[in-house]
Amino acid sequence: YSEIMLENIKEEERLSTPAEFKGITLGEFYEIYLADRSSLSANSIYIIQSAIVKFEDIIDTPMTEIDFFKLAPIINKMKSENAYSTQLTYVRKMKVIFDYAITPYHIISKNPFNDVQLQKPVQEHKVKAITQNQLEDFLKKLKNQKDTSTRRGVGRAKCARCLFIRQYQCNGCQTHHCGGLKNSAPAFP
């Protein structure tokens, strides 16, 4: 049933496409788009060109034949090759080009990029922890360090020791998370 619906939509597009644009490929329309948008900055043109390169598999495909099913393998390949922000930029630029094919040119009636949904990858928050031996080595080095400069009467090495202990007591959380804690660090001889 979906194949029949898809063929009907493609047939409607063929009937409504102006004669001079029947069978126009993505590559050909891309040239028209750039000519019409001559006021674009060099950076914008570069980004659009980079997006087009990612979709080179369909560059010779007529605009009316490009649908989500032709885009899906390209999008999946992009997901493994590019960062999420880059994928998003390329899809947005291609969407603009296809929107331009809808209005003002009436080459297609539906933008296939409207169906493309990128999912932002979930990033794991990793906390680095140190071993007991690394802690002891670090504390020995701090203990042997001379306090030559002071801040409000407390040597920098002592401040560093206290801050490190606070951080360690918080199971390796980042320093800025420990800033509001009270000094409960053990005293060093």
Side-chain angles (χ1 to χ4, degrees):
Y1 176 75
S2 62
E3 291 175 11
I4 295 170
M5 292 292 292
L6 187 59
E7 283 303 315
N8 288 342
I9 291 171
K10 286 181 180 180
E11 186 60 31
E12 286 176 23
E13 285 181 351
R14 282 187 210 108
L15 294 174
S16 64
T17 303
E20 66 268 24
F21 297 118
K22 285 200 187 291
I24 190 170
T25 65
L26 174 58
E28 294 167 339
F29 185 74
Y30 164 69
E31 295 299 327
I32 292 171
Y33 176 80
L34 284 183
D36 286 358
R37 308 287 298 193
S38 60
S39 63
L40 289 173
S41 69
N43 189 44
S44 292
I45 292 171
Y46 175 76
I47 293 170
I48 293 168
Q49 288 171 339
S50 299
I52 286 288
V53 166
K54 286 294 178 183
F55 291 90
E56 66 186 353
D57 293 349
I58 59 170
I59 201 81
D60 295 323
T61 306
M63 296 281 289
T64 56
E65 293 180 16
I66 298 173
D67 57 15
F68 175 78
F69 300 107
K70 284 198 170 59
L71 298 178
I74 299 168
I75 299 293
N76 288 335
K77 184 179 175 186
M78 255 190 355
K79 286 180 183 178
S80 64
E81 294 176 349
N82 300 102
Y84 171 76
S85 59
T86 305
Q87 297 169 38
L88 197 59
T89 300
Y90 290 162
V91 167
R92 284 179 179 163
K93 293 300 179 186
M94 294 302 291
K95 186 175 179 181
V96 168
I97 292 171
F98 276 78
D99 282 342
Y100 200 69
I102 295 171
T103 304
Y105 285 97
H106 306 289
I107 296 171
I108 55 177
S109 60
K110 183 179 183 290
N111 188 336
F113 282 90
N114 287 344
D115 298 328
V116 174
Q117 294 181 354
L118 299 174
Q119 292 182 345
K120 191 170 187 174
V122 177
Q123 294 180 345
E124 247 183 65
H125 179 69
K126 294 182 182 179
V127 177
K128 293 182 181 180
I130 63 170
T131 65
Q132 186 66 32
N133 290 338
Q134 290 171 325
L135 172 65
E136 289 170 7
D137 285 346
F138 181 75
L139 292 176
K140 282 179 189 175
K141 288 177 184 175
L142 282 179
K143 184 177 177 184
N144 295 331
Q145 196 175 39
K146 291 185 180 179
D147 291 333
T148 56
S149 62
T150 61
R151 181 174 174 243
R152 294 187 187 164
V154 179
R156 286 187 182 185
K158 187 172 181 181
C159 286
R161 284 193 297 268
C162 292
L163 182 61
F164 180 78
I165 293 298
R166 286 183 194 164
Q167 186 171 356
Y168 184 72
Q169 288 171 336
C170 294
N171 296 321
C173 68
Q174 296 176 357
T175 305
H176 67 273
H177 293 151
C178 301
L181 298 177
K182 296 198 185 224
N183 187 0
S184 59
F188 289 100

